[in-house]
């Protein structure tokens, strides 16, 4: 039986320690059994009284179905005693958000994973309700703050205000991105597993030139691909993972570029090691070894291409959550998860990997300060954090996605369509990781197979993750800054990212890195990068002392 254990207390600003399964045997045991413990009490359901109409804006994954197709939404309305009108956004959120915030026209609630950021709260905080004195109206949220280490700290601004609430889901491995190569293609061409960037380049070139998938068409292979890079920064399944080859430690897939190394804050956007990654990416792109639509494709296209056609794979090397999620259940057996590559043979730097905080994540729901139905809004928020609704927000509806047991246990069911992999099915069925939720400590939950798969396929990353010193090489995801400093960071970051993300596309596709790098770094510094690094260093040092 796999038991969820209580994380040990941690210093403010630090993520709770996570239990790691370090062998395939432990993984298989964990995935086949359940998480044992106590269940929630009578306070799990917020008291519902009266009836109110609310408008809720929800920012969803591109795969996620309409809210009207989720049965748990009806349960939410009944529990909270409200009628909800949903505004659903699946694309172009950044543009829509800027227009909405500038106009001050916020709906009653906004739901989504960090879709309203701390920077937004610093700039537009008068638009959002301070929930710090509303905890008695939200007993589930209050209990989460008491029981989940770091949850309250993550939510509380430097002045004590609470504008946005986090989510806690407990089950995820420390690393979210895994690195994959098509082992069948390697075998078809008699190639060895690459261990360095140069070896990977040679393998990708062979994939392109030698009909690696064996279908008789030597031109339909895409040797390398990655998920869409946002204008607001970097995330999972992107080539920022290659920074681990150089020993540079990142968190959350890279974010807006800030990192900590030996207690010193930096930005990889201006780091020579990022320059080396960009040079490698351009070398591969210019040789036709990278999906030529990689800069413009959306997530659906990225996923679709990875699924190939029937038994014929299309992509040779990529990053993803699990092999089945990235390439589909039919093609997943062709792929092997890989350890981080060395940037060059014989290097002295230890490789690292992105240190992620996927279980406790910030800013999943905010309440408008202009709502005319605050009590109703608070009831909805609290209901979302109830035990049964939280499970359904994460995994999908009872009956179709989850089977509740008479003994208080839960089983996450296989995909009902008989075709999808568990991860895709979850993201299709519900808000999943983007929703506001609290999965209680020690619930009896039979987990979906993709979580077991993720842990197993993380084994090649274990040494690299262990090379990251959590106390000296990890930027905490919830440093709380003053309103003035957050505003400065937000203003600077807008200019910084406008430049860096444009240059990422240019450097990868067109090159010019050597000639343009120094001027690019000068522009970053003029945009406020040095000031932002100094601010992060100030708050990082304060958190470390705390």
């Amino acid at each position: 039986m796999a038991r969820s254990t209580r994380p040990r207390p941690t210093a403010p600003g630090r993520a709770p320690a996570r239990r790691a399964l370090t062998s395939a045997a432990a993984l298989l045991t964990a995935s086949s059994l359940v998480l044992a413990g106590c269940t929630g009490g009578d306070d799990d359901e917020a008291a519902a009284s009266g009836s109110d109409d609310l408008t809720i804006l929800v920012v969803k994954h591109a795969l996620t179905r309409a809210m009207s197709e989720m049965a748990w939404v009806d349960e939410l309305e009944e529990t909270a005693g409200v009628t909800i009108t949903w505004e659903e956004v699946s694309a172009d959120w950044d543009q829509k958000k800027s227009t909405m915030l500038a106009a001050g026209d916020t709906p009653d609630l906004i739901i989504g994973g960090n879709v309203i950021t701390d920077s937004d709260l610093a700039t537009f905080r008068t638009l959002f309700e301070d929930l710090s004195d509303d905890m008695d109206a939200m007993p589930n949220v209050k209990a989460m703050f008491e029981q989940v280490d770091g949850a309250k700290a993550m939510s509380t601004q430097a002045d004590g205000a609470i504008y946005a609430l986090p989510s806690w889901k407990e089950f995820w491995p420390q690393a979210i991105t895994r690195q994959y190569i098509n082992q069948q293609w390697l075998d078809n061409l008699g190639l060895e597993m690459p261990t360095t960037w140069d070896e990977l380049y040679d393998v990708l070139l062979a994939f392109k030139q030698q009909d690696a998938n064996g279908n008789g068409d030597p031109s339909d292979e895409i040797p390398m691909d990655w998920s869409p890079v946002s204008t607001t920064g970097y995330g999972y399944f992107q080539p920022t993972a290659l920074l681990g080859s150089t020993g540079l430690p990142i968190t959350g897939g890279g974010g807006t570029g800030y990192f900590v190394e030996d207690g010193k804050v930096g930005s990889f956007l201006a780091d020579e090691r990022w320059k080396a990654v960009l040079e490698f990416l351009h070398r591969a792109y210019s040789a036709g070894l990278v999906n030529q639509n990689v800069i413009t494709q959306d997530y659906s296209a990225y996923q679709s291409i990875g699924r190939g056609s029937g038994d014929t794979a299309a992509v040779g090397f990529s990053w993803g959550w699990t092999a089945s999620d990235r390439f589909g259940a039919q093609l997943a057996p062709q792929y092997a998860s890989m350890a981080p590559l060395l940037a060059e043979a014989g290097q002295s730097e230890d490789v690292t990997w992105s240190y992620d905080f996927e279980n406790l994540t910030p800013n999943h729901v905010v309440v408008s300060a202009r709502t005319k139905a605050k009590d109703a809004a608070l009831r909805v928020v609290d209901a979302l954090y109830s035990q049964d609704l939280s499970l359904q927000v994460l995994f999908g509806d009872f009956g179709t996605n989850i089977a509740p047991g008479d003994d208080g246990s839960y089983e996450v069911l296989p995909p009902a369509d008989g075709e999808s992999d568990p991860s895709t099915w979850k993201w299709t069925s519900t808000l999943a990781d983007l929703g506001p939720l609290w999965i209680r400590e020690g619930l009896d939950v039979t987990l979906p197979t993709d979580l077991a798969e993720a842990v197993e396929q993380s084994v090649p990353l274990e040494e690299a993750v262990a090379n990251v010193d959590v106390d000296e090489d990890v930027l905490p995801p919830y440093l709380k800054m003053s309103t003035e400093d957050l505003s400065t960071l937000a203003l600077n970051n807008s200019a910084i990212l406008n430049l860096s993300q444009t240059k990422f596309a240019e450097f990868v596709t067109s090159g010019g890195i050597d000639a343009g790098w120094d001027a690019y770094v000068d522009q970053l510094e003029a945009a406020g990068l040095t000031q932002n690094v100094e601010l992060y260093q100030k708050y990082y040092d304060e958190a470390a002392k705390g």
Side-chain angles (χ1 to χ4, degrees):
M1 177 173 292
R3 180 186 264 291
S4 162
T5 57
R6 179 85 171 109
R8 68 175 184 269
T10 56
R14 298 291 183 182
R18 301 289 185 266
R19 173 179 48 82
L21 297 178
T22 57
S23 70
L27 157 75
L28 294 174
T29 301
S31 63
S32 61
L33 297 173
V34 297
L35 296 169
C38 60
T39 60
D42 293 337
D43 65 344
D44 283 348
E45 300 296 336
S49 62
S51 178
D52 293 280
D53 295 334
L54 293 174
T55 298
I56 302 179
L57 187 153
V58 57
V59 183
K60 308 184 304 179
H61 192 285
L63 297 176
T64 305
R65 65 182 58 171
M67 300 300 293
S68 60
E69 298 179 36
M70 303 176 196
W72 64 259
V73 169
D74 294 334
E75 183 179 344
L76 174 64
E77 290 186 322
E78 182 178 354
T79 300
V82 301
T83 300
I84 298 172
T85 298
W86 295 95
E87 296 179 1
E88 305 181 35
V89 178
S90 298
D92 302 321
W93 166 241
D94 291 329
Q95 293 85 346
K96 294 173 182 175
K97 176 174 70 171
S98 60
T99 301
M100 178 190 70
L101 295 181
D105 185 19
T106 51
D108 296 297
L109 288 89
I110 300 174
I111 287 174
N114 204 32
V115 297
I116 298 296
T117 66
D118 279 355
S119 294
D120 296 327
L121 295 173
T123 306
F124 300 100
R125 64 173 51 206
T126 58
L127 298 181
F128 303 105
E129 186 70 24
D130 179 4
L131 303 174
S132 60
D133 57 356
D134 294 312
M135 289 299 124
D136 287 341
M138 299 183 293
N140 287 308
V141 175
K142 184 178 182 180
M144 177 179 68
F145 280 178
E146 293 170 349
Q147 297 178 35
V148 177
D149 294 312
K152 186 174 183 180
M154 175 174 278
S155 306
T156 306
Q157 302 297 319
D159 62 359
I162 296 175
Y163 297 105
L165 301 177
S167 283
W168 167 257
K169 57 184 187 288
E170 181 176 18
F171 305 130
W172 270 242
Q174 183 55 64
I176 302 305
T177 296
R178 270 151 288 283
Q179 186 165 265
Y180 296 98
I181 196 164
N182 192 305
Q183 183 66 54
Q184 184 169 299
W185 288 14
L186 291 175
D187 295 342
N188 288 348
L189 302 182
L191 301 172
E192 297 294 326
M193 177 75 73
T195 61
T196 67
W197 287 357
D198 283 343
E199 289 178 6
L200 175 63
Y201 181 90
D202 291 340
V203 164
L204 297 178
L205 192 62
F207 284 173
K208 176 178 174 59
Q209 296 176 341
Q210 301 181 37
D211 189 24
N213 62 19
N215 69 343
D217 182 356
S219 64
D220 67 345
E221 287 85 358
I222 298 174
M224 182 180 185
D225 197 14
W226 60 75
S227 72
V229 172
S230 169
T231 58
T232 58
Y234 297 91
Y236 302 137
F237 322 141
Q238 295 173 2
T240 44
L242 293 175
L243 284 167
S245 302
T246 72
L248 191 154
I250 61 174
T251 57
T256 52
Y258 303 99
F259 68 94
V260 172
E261 188 173 29
D262 297 327
K264 183 176 176 58
V265 176
S267 170
F268 70 73
L269 300 177
D271 193 287
E272 289 288 326
R273 289 167 288 185
W274 180 234
K275 178 185 177 185
V277 171
L278 293 171
E279 288 172 333
F280 174 76
L281 295 177
H282 173 64
R283 179 188 176 200
Y285 185 91
S286 62
L289 308 184
V290 177
N291 179 356
Q292 297 296 286
N293 297 317
V294 72
I295 299 299
T296 57
Q297 70 179 347
D298 61 17
Y299 194 86
S300 295
Y302 158 78
Q303 282 288 79
S304 177
I305 291 168
R307 303 303 174 94
S309 177
D311 292 326
T312 303
V315 175
F317 172 86
S318 192
W319 297 275
W321 162 240
T322 65
S324 63
D325 177 63
R326 177 68 184 98
F327 307 106
Q330 189 169 352
L331 291 178
Q334 294 188 20
Y335 289 85
S337 57
M338 301 172 62
L341 299 157
L342 297 174
E344 56 185 16
Q347 69 184 50
S348 59
E349 298 85 0
D350 289 332
V351 296
T352 59
W353 200 249
S354 179
Y355 195 93
D356 304 326
F357 294 86
E358 190 62 18
N359 288 307
L360 181 61
T361 50
N363 302 351
H364 284 259
V365 59
V366 295
V367 176
S368 172
R370 302 186 180 187
T371 181
K372 296 180 180 179
K374 178 181 174 181
D375 289 346
L378 296 180
R379 294 199 302 270
V380 167
V381 170
D382 197 58
L384 286 165
Y385 286 90
S386 67
Q387 180 169 300
D388 283 357
L389 275 169
S390 286
L391 283 163
Q392 293 176 88
V393 170
L394 180 58
F395 291 118
D397 297 328
F398 282 169
T400 305
N401 296 65
I402 304 173
D406 294 336
D407 59 354
S409 65
Y410 303 85
E411 178 184 0
V412 181
L413 301 172
D417 64 1
E419 298 178 358
S420 300
D421 62 273
S423 181
T424 299
W425 177 244
K426 178 188 73 170
W427 282 104
T428 301
S429 301
T430 187
L431 298 181
D433 307 52
L434 302 182
L437 53 92
W438 170 32
I439 306 301
R440 270 68 169 167
E441 185 70 30
L443 287 183
D444 291 345
V445 181
T446 302
L447 296 172
T449 57
D450 68 308
L451 278 172
E453 184 185 1
V455 177
E456 181 178 29
Q457 293 169 4
S458 294
V459 171
L461 304 176
E462 287 177 352
E463 182 176 349
V465 172
N467 287 336
V468 178
D469 185 330
V470 179
D471 294 322
E472 295 289 327
D473 298 329
V474 175
L475 185 66
Y478 45 95
L479 296 175
K480 294 303 178 184
M481 306 181 182
S482 70
T483 301
E484 180 181 359
D485 287 342
L486 273 173
S487 296
T488 298
L489 282 169
L491 182 62
N492 289 346
N493 270 339
S494 178
I496 290 165
L497 293 169
N498 182 57
L499 171 64
S500 67
Q501 304 313 89
T502 299
K503 282 294 185 180
F504 170 78
E506 178 185 323
F507 284 152
V508 169
T509 61
S510 302
I513 302 169
D514 271 336
W517 182 258
D518 289 343
Y520 158 70
V521 171
D522 289 343
Q523 288 176 299
L524 288 176
E525 292 176 352
L529 185 63
T530 300
Q531 183 182 27
N532 277 13
V533 168
E534 291 173 350
L535 285 172
Y536 269 110
Q537 187 73 60
K538 168 188 170 183
Y539 286 98
Y540 174 81
D541 290 342
E542 288 180 1
K545 292 176 183 177

